[in-house]
């Protein structure tokens, strides 16, 4: 990671205008825009092919402000409502400047995806889930849950390209093709190892390694780091984001923070390295129909929020283990294909038996469910404000579902099996809205840009699905344009 | 903060072997040891005199392993028991290597303070408090609370020099005098502004400013950064530790992270910048006799833990506002001088009235207190395991105390008034056990050392009083010794 002085480099293996390091969604977006602006562009990718963690993701794109899919599904939306929701849901302490641009540009950014060849069905999946099993083009991501439904006019903004299940691979196919067609070159199996810096402090290239061979790349206009986060680097997690230690990782296994470290080695500033997103392997369809409780049998959130929010609330604030408590009527009302292979760990006739099975003090679940039922009879949840749609007194037999068992969907292992949670990092390099990397004094590092999870994006402490592909591509585009000198 | 190249420095205003930047507890300890090892030592202090935030602190020193004060008070202790407690209480993810050295060296480190002229009364303050009002030399800091009392043999380890109330000023008087007597020079009103680095990457001095004048200082052997944390730098808090934003700051107002930033500007690694300690302005004497609840009226911890632990648990994991619920009998049993001017915000005959005053759902406090009382009758707290000493069914009239009102002790404002919490940062530069600063590749930055809250010390996510003065002086001593080249 130690930076290399330009005067110590005696030859370059390749020269280009804009060097993009990492070919996930941010790298593809940056490469596309830089090439479209007329720059020579070369993308270095450490893996054998493009895609990165983006290609393994669900493929949701958090977009709004009045897209054609939203209109077709009967929703009005505005950039202001989108901003209102995200500022709250990605907060506290979301980056308001980046977020404002992101929301104002969202409708255009949706069209950019359409123009790159992605199609979206004009239909809504209208139930709580981590991921619809259908090709529906739109889904809710917490916008209609309290307190967000009082902060901004709710509209679903989870856009999904027309493919069932995980859509990340299709998104990346289109973006990689777009970058190539725009003229970007690619060298795979090529791991960038350090930045090359001239004596004015300008970044002018990178060193790299391919099959044991050391290479040097010259970037005449700029280097764009789109290397991803650091969920796969245990040492960085220990230093910066210990909450992820021991949990599953949502990544392609190569998110080792190399771009963040290369830049920090020359004094680049980082931001919020401790912030993580976590997903509990608990089914939204089950927790909304029942409840999510902590080790003491206490509820702690309205279960109909964006599932990442109940997940983070559990793992970061509540004593483990967590349990999904549901009754037979609720469980049976979930279509089998929506159960993702999840079965109860304990089933009992009474709550007294269930709390004993779970090792909770006598009366723990009886008290929690008793209170819940009393208010549910009236269609109320005065503690957490779950939508009345999901409020119904729970009656025996009762079941306790253990998120540690994970999901068991067709073939795809769930990352959270074991601890019940899996996640990734949200912190990264401190950048301007145009992707320029800042140093610890707040000055721009000349020639250096970053986007995607190598950078700190629109997020504060919170997260919503689709905002990583979303801000990775949105600010990746801006970084590519800026690196090409086209701003 | 931008580093200065040594070849651009045409003269030095002063030359020394070891340059210590900051004259708080870590700086004083480093200066003393470096001077005692025979090095020329110069301390730069930005304020008009020495002391820093250390001098404003309570002065607790977390020490054990069998000190004379522990023996006199009838307690056996060992380095292993001390390690067991701190690894759990400062965790998860405390730095085991630093912590092991700290515990193994603790009895010697206690003697070092005695040899510097501090005296300790051989008496124990045996009640929960933020700070005894007496001159007692020893206090519990959570060692006897569950689950820690099951992890290691409990012994009180909060050592307090013989002065009533805040002891930080006395500690610093002795340490500053010791450093001066050992031969360290001091220049006050001198703010270090950047590191001077030679063309091999070695730190060889600092630039500084005094009354508008630019100065340069040459350090032949090493620079030791003991500049404190960054609680007073709102921009750094926004980038790294947003949990402190808006809360009171426990500092001298000058903890702006300048040392951390100077070092990061040359590629030094940081660690756990997001970790903070927070103190709720809630009286341990009251919460142990009653209970601490969140906005929903739920308990969430055994109230007899180290008060910083219930504070952090509240602010970082529970919905605000927090309330201390106590009954008349409990309140009246606290001697008036131990109430620190704290009076109830609401007093009612029944819990139903109290929960209405607090805006909680009907039944919220009745349920929590009902469960508490049922088990307290049997001397049990199966949820959180508060010591039976503090378990007693609560009976009306009831009171709710609001931590946001702060404390009102004689003359000294309580930092937490307003939000109910005040704190400081725990993250900082990544150092070896000898205080050498590491770069982001894990290599030592030649010539650069750090200790105290400018560095990441023994802490993981947790904190205990006395571990900042404790590890600041312990690793400050090691850094001073190492910088003098005496290791």
């Amino acid at each position: 990671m130690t930076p290399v002085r330009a005067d110590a480099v005696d030859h370059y293996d390749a020269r280009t205008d804009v060097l993009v390091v990492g070919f996930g969604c941010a790298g593809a977006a940056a490469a596309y825009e830089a090439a479209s602006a007329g720059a020579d562009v070369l993308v270095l990718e450490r893996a054998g092919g493009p895609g990165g963690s983006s290609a393994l993701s669900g493929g949701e794109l958090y977009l709004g402000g009045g897209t054609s899919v939203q209109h077709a599904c009967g929703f009005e939306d505005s950039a202001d409502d989108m901003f209102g929701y995200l500022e709250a849901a990605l907060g506290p302490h979301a980056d308001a400047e980046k977020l404002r641009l992101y929301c104002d540009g969202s409708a255009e950014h949706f069209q950019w995806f359409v123009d790159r060849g992605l199609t979206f069905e004009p239909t809504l999946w209208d139930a709580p889930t981590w991921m619809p099993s259908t090709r529906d083009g739109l889904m809710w991501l917490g916008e209609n849950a309290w307190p967000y439904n009082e902060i901004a006019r709710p509209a679903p903004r989870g856009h999904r390209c027309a493919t069932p299940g995980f859509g990340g691979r299709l998104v990346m196919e289109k973006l990689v093709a777009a970058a190539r067609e725009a003229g970007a070159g690619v060298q795979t199996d090529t791991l960038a190892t350090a930045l090359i810096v001239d004596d004015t402090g300008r970044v002018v290239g990178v060193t790299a390694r391919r099959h044991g061979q050391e290479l040097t790349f010259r970037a005449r206009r700029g280097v764009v780091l789109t290397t991803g986060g650091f969920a796969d680097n245990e040492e960085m997690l220990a230093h910066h984001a210990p909450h992820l230690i021991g949990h599953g990782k949502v990544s392609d296994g190569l998110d080792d923070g190399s771009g963040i470290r290369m830049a920090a080695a020359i004094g680049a500033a980082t931001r919020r390295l401790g912030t993580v997103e976590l997903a509990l392997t608990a089914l939204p369809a089950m927790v909304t129909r029942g409840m999510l409780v902590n080790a003491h049998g206490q509820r702690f959130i309205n279960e109909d929020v964006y599932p990442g929010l109940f997940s983070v609330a559990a793992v970061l604030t509540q004593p483990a283990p967590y349990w999904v408590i549901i009754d037979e009527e609720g469980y049976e009302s979930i279509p089998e294909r929506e159960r993702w292979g999840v079965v109860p760990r304990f089933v009992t006739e009474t709550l007294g038996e269930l709390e004993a099975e779970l090792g909770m003090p006598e009366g723990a679940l009886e008290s929690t469910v008793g209170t819940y039922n009393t208010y549910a009879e009236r269609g109320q949840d005065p503690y957490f404000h779950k939508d009345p749609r999901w409020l119904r007194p729970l009656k025996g037999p009762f079941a306790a579902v253990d998120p540690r068992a994970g999901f068991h969907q067709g073939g795809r292992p769930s990352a959270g099996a074991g601890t019940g949670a899996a996640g990734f990092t949200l912190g990264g390099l401190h950048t301007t809205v145009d992707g320029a990397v800042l140093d610890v004094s707040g000055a721009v590092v000349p020639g250096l840009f970053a986007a995607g999870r190598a950078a700190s994006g629109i997020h504060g402490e919170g997260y919503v699905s689709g905002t990583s592909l979303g801000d990775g591509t949105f600010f990746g585009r801006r970084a590519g344009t800026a690196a090409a000198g086209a701003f």
Side-chain angles (χ1 to χ4, degrees), chain A:
Chain A
M1 296 298 149
T2 309
V4 173
R5 291 165 60 142
D7 56 19
V9 178
D10 53 16
H11 96 287
Y12 285 98
D13 293 287
R15 292 166 192 267
T16 186
D17 291 332
V18 174
L19 196 62
V20 177
V21 183
F23 211 175
C25 75
Y32 170 83
E33 293 291 353
S36 299
D40 277 342
V41 178
L42 178 60
V43 186
L44 306 183
E45 166 58 46
R46 64 185 295 181
S53 296
S54 303
L56 300 180
S57 75
E60 293 93 352
L61 300 166
Y62 198 90
L63 298 166
T67 69
S68 60
V69 180
Q70 289 179 308
H71 289 144
C73 292
F75 293 95
E76 282 189 49
D77 195 15
S78 69
D80 285 349
D81 284 312
M82 182 178 177
F83 180 85
Y85 174 64
L86 286 182
E87 187 182 37
L90 301 184
H93 312 298
D95 186 319
E97 187 187 7
K98 284 182 179 166
L99 191 53
R100 189 74 248 179
L101 277 173
Y102 181 71
C103 295
D104 289 345
S106 189
E108 184 279 334
H109 194 48
F110 170 78
Q111 189 56 45
W112 183 83
F113 282 107
V114 172
D115 292 344
R116 303 288 82 72
L118 284 173
T119 58
F120 299 84
E121 300 284 337
T123 52
L124 174 73
W125 172 275
D126 189 19
T129 186
W130 281 110
M131 176 175 307
S133 52
T134 62
R135 293 164 55 97
D136 289 320
L138 196 61
M139 67 186 292
W140 292 98
L141 289 167
E143 301 90 343
N144 53 353
W146 188 89
Y148 309 102
N149 57 359
E150 297 181 353
I151 290 171
R153 180 179 54 177
R157 300 190 189 93
H159 286 68
R160 310 176 59 244
C161 58
T163 186
F166 287 75
R169 187 155 301 281
L170 180 58
V171 172
M172 285 310 302
E173 275 175 19
K174 298 296 186 187
L175 296 192
V176 166
R180 289 185 190 272
E181 284 162 22
V186 185
Q187 298 199 13
T188 55
D189 295 310
T190 306
L191 173 68
T193 50
L195 298 175
I196 302 172
V197 184
D198 74 12
D199 58 10
T200 71
R202 183 181 178 86
V203 173
V204 298
V206 308
T207 59
R209 198 162 49 234
R210 183 192 303 143
H211 306 312
Q213 186 187 357
E214 303 295 329
L215 302 169
T216 51
F217 295 89
R218 174 82 169 91
R220 287 180 290 261
R221 298 192 195 171
V223 171
V224 186
L225 297 172
T226 52
T227 47
F230 57 97
D232 297 311
N233 185 322
E234 290 291 314
E235 190 179 346
M236 280 186 82
L237 292 181
H239 292 164
H240 302 297
H243 292 302
L244 263 192
I245 294 175
H247 291 299
K249 307 303 185 304
V250 177
S251 78
D252 65 355
L254 300 174
D255 287 348
D256 67 357
S258 60
I260 297 170
R261 286 179 288 139
M262 279 191 279
I266 63 166
T270 57
R271 202 158 184 275
R272 309 279 177 86
L273 289 185
T275 313
V276 299
E277 162 64 1
L278 283 157
L280 201 64
T281 38
L283 276 184
M286 285 186 189
V287 299
T288 49
R289 285 167 170 82
M291 60 174 64
L292 183 62
V293 300
N294 65 21
H296 304 307
Q298 296 170 312
R299 285 179 74 210
F300 51 91
I301 199 165
N302 44 326
E303 294 86 352
D304 58 342
V305 292
Y306 164 65
L309 181 55
F310 71 62
S311 300
V312 167
V315 179
L316 298 191
T317 78
Q318 300 296 316
Y322 323 108
W323 296 100
V324 182
I325 307 297
I326 192 167
D327 64 356
E328 186 170 50
E329 181 179 339
Y331 185 85
E332 295 297 337
S333 72
I334 303 168
E336 178 145 358
R337 71 163 191 187
E338 300 305 329
R339 289 186 205 152
W340 294 20
V342 172
V343 295
R345 173 120 176 249
F346 300 102
V347 177
T348 62
E349 287 300 315
T350 69
L351 292 167
E353 294 166 294
L354 195 57
E355 64 199 18
E357 292 280 16
L358 302 182
M360 292 176 184
E362 190 185 321
L365 282 180
E366 285 174 349
S367 170
T368 298
V369 177
T371 298
Y372 181 85
N373 284 355
T374 299
Y375 283 106
E377 292 277 9
R378 309 179 210 161
Q380 297 172 356
D381 176 19
Y383 290 88
F384 304 105
H385 308 280
K386 184 157 68 171
D387 193 287
R389 173 180 178 187
W390 305 110
L391 291 171
R392 180 181 57 75
L394 305 180
K395 302 179 191 69
F398 297 98
V401 179
D402 188 346
R404 291 170 292 187
F407 299 141
H408 303 279
Q409 280 169 292
R412 197 178 179 104
S414 72
T419 66
F424 54 91
T425 60
L426 290 175
L429 296 168
H430 189 192
T431 56
T432 69
V433 295
D434 294 326
V437 173
L438 299 173
D439 69 20
V440 295
S441 299
V444 163
V445 178
L448 189 63
F449 301 81
R453 286 292 67 81
S456 175
I458 58 179
H459 307 87
E461 306 289 299
Y463 188 76
V464 174
S465 281
T467 55
S468 267
L469 291 188
D471 92 344
T473 50
F474 186 85
F475 291 102
R477 291 175 62 194
R478 294 179 70 93
T481 303
F487 266 144

